[in-house]
Amino acid sequence: MKITMYGAAICPDCVVAKQQLSTKQDVELEYKDITSTTATLKEFLKFRDFEPMFEQVKNDGKIGIPFFVLEDGTKTFDIETYVAFDPNLERPVNACSIDGKNC
């Protein structure tokens, strides 16, 4: 399964999710760090600004990462619905907040 993940190295939940997905033999991970280039940030913001699933995220003062797009176009914040994570490894908890409370 191909998964595109939008995240940032400064987001603990993103680091954990990337680590978990990187261990999966059946996952082809395309990781996009939204802090790496303006183009990548703009790509992510197109989702964040126009996808209804981000409304609550924005209302809660969160950024909306980690954010995942599956190969069939499915968009989700909860990758564990689609990929089983190793219970012995740390798990992502919550999307990072702009105020830093959830990071």
Side-chain angles (χ1 to χ4, degrees):
M1 168 190 299
K2 182 176 180 181
I3 299 173
T4 301
M5 175 185 165
Y6 291 87
I10 58 175
C11 169
D13 293 332
C14 296
V15 171
V16 171
K18 181 181 174 189
Q19 175 191 17
Q20 282 273 9
L21 291 171
S22 296
T23 68
K24 306 302 273 177
Q25 296 285 335
D26 58 340
V27 170
E28 178 187 336
L29 180 63
E30 180 180 5
Y31 177 72
K32 296 189 174 199
D33 186 331
I34 65 170
T35 64
S36 65
T37 67
T38 304
T40 303
L41 178 59
K42 284 181 171 182
E43 187 178 315
F44 169 73
L45 289 175
K46 282 183 185 177
F47 289 113
R48 189 172 190 275
D49 291 347
F50 298 107
E51 290 288 333
M53 68 185 287
F54 280 93
E55 286 308 311
Q56 190 62 50
V57 169
K58 292 187 286 187
N59 290 339
D60 291 344
K62 296 182 179 180
I63 298 168
I65 55 175
F67 169 63
F68 308 92
V69 181
L70 308 184
E71 63 187 325
D72 68 358
T74 300
K75 299 168 188 85
T76 186
F77 300 115
D78 184 15
I79 196 62
E80 288 188 76
T81 300
Y82 304 93
V83 177
F85 279 7
D86 183 338
N88 297 317
L89 296 176
E90 188 178 356
R91 303 175 95 117
V93 179
N94 204 343
C96 288
S97 297
I98 293 172
D99 62 11
K101 289 182 180 175
N102 288 329
C103 290

